[in-house]
Structure formats: structure tokens, C-alpha cells
Amino acid sequence: MIGMTTIVADHLAKYLDVGVVTESIGQDLTPPVVIVKNVSMRFDKELNGHYWGHYQLQIIYLGEEDVTDQEVYSVIGERLSFVLEEVAYSEGVIRAESMDTKQIDESAVMVLVTYRVRIKVAEDPVDKMEHLEQGFESKKESGNGRL
């Protein structure tokens, strides 16, 4: 599986009419643009080599300077949140587990979105019972004759 940031950035580029970047480039950005950054990752192990990956991404929409609050909210409510709810990629669809939206400036919006992804990690097939050893001995075997 390729990086979660790349998957989400590619998905956003398909559905939004703005530039999408995944790196902090500084002041060279020309609005409107969306910046996608990975904030945190966590993996919870399940049975048989399965993991649940929890990816929290920060998506920042930088609008043009002369936009109104209503235009910024329409980007959040009608397009950005809707597009981020389900992300299609080569192996299927990833659904957002949680999403938090905040207006950080007159023309900028930040969305924190968490995706929960099931990941299969290939493991070597090992018969776990073959290697099981008992770490105790009975009292009879220890030589004292009592049970």
C-alpha cells in the first residue's frame, strides 16, 4: 500500500478544482490550494497478521484572499468534507472514522480527518504448537515421590 497522504492527495486532486500538495513548500503556494500532511499514525495488531492502521491527516484549504466567509464554508460543507468522507484507491475504499473542521483564517480552513484502514501483513507460516514447551514438572517427576 502506498502512503496514506499520497492516496488522499490523489483523491482530492480528482474532485477539487484546486492544486493539491503534500509537502510544506512555504510561501510559494498560489491559492486556491489544498495541503495534505500526515499528523500521526498508529497500528493495532489483530490476529493472523492483520493490523488496523489509524492515520490522522491535516488537510488545509487556502482560498483566495478576496473570498467571503460564505464561500469558505461552502468549500468545507459542500465539497471538502464530502470528498474526504470516502477515499477510493487501487485496493478499495477507505472511509473516514472522524473529521473535525475549523476555519483558521478568513480564507483558510483546516480539516483533521482520521482514517481506519485494515492492513494485512504477510507472516511466515509457523505451527505455533510445535514450539510450545512446558515450563514445569510434576512433583512425582522431581523425585520426592509425593503428588
Side-chain angles (χ1 to χ4, degrees), residues 9-98:
D10 290 347
H11 180 77
L12 287 171
K14 288 180 193 176
Y15 293 100
L16 298 178
D17 298 330
V18 298
V20 179
V21 296
T22 58
E23 300 174 7
S24 296
I25 304 173
Q27 302 299 322
D28 297 337
L29 301 175
T30 306
V33 67
V34 174
I35 304 166
V36 181
K37 298 170 97 177
N38 191 358
V39 176
S40 68
M41 293 183 288
R42 185 181 87 235
F43 299 98
D44 298 329
K45 183 160 176 56
E46 297 282 317
L47 298 176
N48 298 327
H50 287 96
Y51 290 82
W52 281 109
H54 301 268
Y55 298 88
Q56 187 174 44
L57 302 178
Q58 180 184 52
I59 290 91
I60 300 173
Y61 171 81
L62 298 175
E64 297 177 13
E65 294 285 329
D66 58 348
V67 296
T68 65
D69 284 347
Q70 184 63 32
E71 290 172 322
V72 172
Y73 284 125
S74 73
V75 169
I76 300 168
E78 295 175 12
R79 295 194 312 173
L80 193 56
S81 296
F82 179 75
V83 171
L84 289 170
E85 189 171 343
E86 286 188 353
V87 175
Y89 74 114
S90 62
E91 297 178 30
V93 176
I94 302 168
R95 289 176 180 79
E97 185 176 58
S98 65

Side-chain angles (χ1 to χ4, degrees), residues 32 75 111 126 135 146:
V75 169
V111 179
V126 176
R146 293 183 286 163

